[in-house]
Amino acid sequence: GAVVSQHPSWVICKSGTSVKIECRSLDFQATTMFWYRQFPKQSLMLMATSNEGSKATYEQGVEKDKFLINHASLTLSTLTVTSAHPEDSSFYICSAGNGVGGEKLFFGSGTQLSVL
Amino acid sequence: SQQGEEDPQALSIQEGENATMNCSYKTSINNLQWYRQNSGRGLVHLILIRSNEREKHSGRLRVTLDTSKKSSSLLITASRAADTASYFCATAGRETSGSRLTFGEGTQLTVNP
């Protein structure tokens, strides 16, 4: 099956710093990737849709200047949390479809971000 | 917007028993999918059922879909301790692109050995 690799698995950073999370499709090309945020014992909240070669589409209420998304190639999308604050601490997950009917999604293993 | 609602929120059963989780949604869909998430991990796709299908099986999993009631159920038969995880339904709406999914609130399943 298709594999999506997400790095890092966890990161601890100081308040005010920026953190970059990578999401790679290892054995397929992903024209679209999705970024989610998940709080403990809650569902996934879609933050943005990342489109290769164009600007990301952000969900309502998500600050595009805070959460920078770059999808420069068909196998890599990055999410940068800029000037992180403790309230940005969360579990971030990416996913990608393999383009076949655009149906089921393949997920990365997630990144636990802790901002001190 | 979060349209999927699942019940129960938490379910605790003994190994060998069956587990049933339900999901309701609000808008018209192309398909409905079920995913599993182990604690602190990403989601794994379990099964997809299309809007013109009523029932689907995959191993110990059985999914039903009732589009008139806008609801779906996931049945796990002969549960095992390794089935302990959170289970989410997700819908692909007719109005959105095929890969954009809306996730339900999830059911935390605990299977006791």
Side-chain angles (χ1 to χ4, degrees):
Chain A
V3 177
V4 174
S5 175
Q6 184 174 344
H7 292 281
S9 297
W10 58 269
V11 57
I12 300 173
C13 69
K14 292 182 179 180
S15 187
T17 61
S18 295
V19 174
K20 180 184 284 189
I21 303 170
E22 291 189 350
C23 183
R24 293 179 185 273
S25 56
L26 296 186
D27 51 2
F28 67 99
Q29 294 184 332
T31 55
T32 303
M33 290 185 175
F34 301 90
W35 288 96
Y36 306 83
R37 184 172 182 177
Q38 186 181 33
F39 292 105
K41 298 190 185 301
Q42 293 188 22
S43 186
L44 280 70
M45 182 189 77
L46 179 64
M47 298 174 65
T49 302
S50 169
N51 303 296
E52 188 270 335
S54 64
K55 292 182 179 180
T57 303
Y58 290 82
E59 295 299 304
Q60 191 173 6
V62 178
E63 300 175 57
K64 58 183 66 176
D65 295 331
K66 174 75 171 176
F67 299 99
L68 299 179
I69 291 174
N70 184 282
H71 194 158
S73 77
L74 286 171
T75 59
L76 174 64
S77 175
T78 61
L79 168 67
T80 301
V81 183
T82 62
S83 187
H85 291 283
E87 57 265 32
D88 298 324
S89 297
S90 186
F91 191 62
Y92 294 87
I93 314 175
C94 69
S95 72
N98 62 0
V100 180
E103 294 184 327
K104 71 178 182 180
L105 295 178
F106 300 92
F107 282 80
S109 55
T111 298
Q112 181 63 52
L113 171 63
S114 296
V115 184
L116 304 178
Chain B
S1 61
Q2 193 72 25
Q3 72 162 345
E5 297 180 0
E6 295 177 63
D7 75 272
Q9 289 188 333
L11 179 62
S12 182
I13 60 174
Q14 294 299 123
E15 213 167 21
E17 294 179 342
N18 296 342
T20 300
M21 289 160 268
N22 302 297
C23 167
S24 62
Y25 57 93
K26 297 177 182 175
T27 61
S28 295
I29 61 171
N30 278 329
N31 64 68
L32 185 145
Q33 305 175 35
W34 285 89
Y35 288 82
R36 166 197 168 123
Q37 183 183 32
N38 284 12
S39 180
R41 304 290 294 172
L43 277 69
V44 175
H45 181 268
L46 295 177
I47 195 165
L48 179 153
I49 186 165
R50 293 185 173 81
S51 59
N52 61 352
E53 299 176 309
R54 292 298 167 257
E55 187 172 312
K56 205 161 184 181
H57 297 255
S58 176
R60 294 184 295 115
L61 304 180
R62 173 177 168 254
V63 169
T64 62
L65 178 65
D66 187 334
T67 52
S68 66
K69 295 181 179 179
K70 290 187 167 58
S71 66
S72 173
S73 67
L74 171 67
L75 168 67
I76 303 175
T77 60
S79 65
R80 305 166 182 167
D83 294 329
T84 295
S86 291
Y87 291 82
F88 295 91
C89 69
T91 53
R94 291 189 184 282
E95 302 297 322
T96 60
S97 65
S99 296
R100 189 182 185 280
L101 300 178
T102 300
F103 285 84
E105 298 299 319
T107 294
Q108 173 61 51
L109 173 66
T110 302
V111 181
N112 302 299

